[in-house]
Each structure stands twice: as structure tokens, then as C-alpha cells.
Amino acid sequence: MSSYNLDEVKEMAGGDEDFMLVVVQTFLEEIPPDVAAMNEAIGNDNPSLAYQFAHKMKPNLQLFGLNLMDQILTIEAWAKNGQKKGEVPQAAEAITKKVDVAAIALKRDFELE
């Protein structure tokens, strides 16, 4: 079982392998640093900054089939609704782990080491 799903990427690329590679490379360049920045914002009790990074990542996480919407929504709710931090650290940890595993697999599968 793969840690990611490229069905939507393939559909968007329309069979263009070079375009798919660019999409994967862009994901690898942008999402792990955004996850780190989101985690830093959470650690610094900065819900609005955490929201910005979580919200920015949402389309890419969906595009790669990472199924992290519940966790993203938890972080967004913390920022938007002034909710207690509560489950935010666990949500961030789940996002971090899944993105890390997917990034390693994408690098391997697309020979980008």
C-alpha cells in the first residue's frame, strides 16, 4: 500500500510524465518546509500562522491523496474559532508523519534522491 495516491496528479497531467515530475518536485520542495513552519507556529502558540500554512497545504495534500483533511480542519478550527489547542499537536504530528513518509516514497519512486 502506497503512502500517497497519484490518481489526481495523473488526471491533471493528462499523461504528461514531465509535468507529473514537476508536480512531484514542487510538492517535495514546498510541503515539507510548510509542515515544519506549521509545527513551529503551533509550538509558538501562533494559531493564525499555523492556519496559514495548514490552509496553504490543503490542496496539495488532497492532490496526493494523503487523507489529512480532518487534521487540517482541526488546526484551522483552532485558529478560526478560538478553540483550545487540545488535539492540535496530535493533528500536526499525524500530518508530519504522513508527509514525511510520502516524501521519502516519492523521492524513491521518482528517483529524486
Side-chain angles (χ1 to χ4, degrees):
M1 167 103 184
S2 182
S3 56
Y4 61 87
N5 181 323
L6 292 179
D7 290 349
E8 285 189 45
V9 176
K10 288 176 184 172
E11 186 177 322
M12 186 172 71
D16 184 339
E17 295 289 325
D18 290 337
F19 181 73
M20 267 185 62
L21 182 59
V22 168
V23 172
V24 168
Q25 287 173 320
T26 301
F27 177 90
L28 292 171
E29 289 168 8
E30 292 182 6
I31 300 305
D34 285 351
V35 169
M38 178 194 71
N39 283 322
E40 185 176 333
I42 291 166
N44 292 332
D45 259 344
N46 187 338
S48 61
L49 187 59
Y51 174 91
Q52 289 175 15
F53 284 107
H55 191 73
K56 177 185 171 200
M57 290 186 292
K58 196 179 338 185
N60 282 298
L61 299 176
Q62 286 180 294
L63 183 64
F64 282 81
L66 297 183
N67 300 319
L68 290 165
M69 274 318 99
D70 289 346
Q71 291 82 359
I72 292 291
L73 293 173
T74 297
I75 293 167
E76 288 180 339
W78 173 51
K80 287 195 315 196
N81 305 332
Q83 293 182 350
K84 289 191 170 83
K85 203 170 184 179
E87 298 176 10
V88 168
Q90 295 90 327
E93 186 177 337
I95 293 167
T96 303
K97 284 181 180 176
K98 203 154 196 181
V99 167
D100 287 349
V101 168
I104 290 166
L106 285 164
K107 286 177 187 174
R108 179 194 64 226
D109 296 347
F110 283 83
E111 299 175 357
L112 296 170
E113 291 296 335

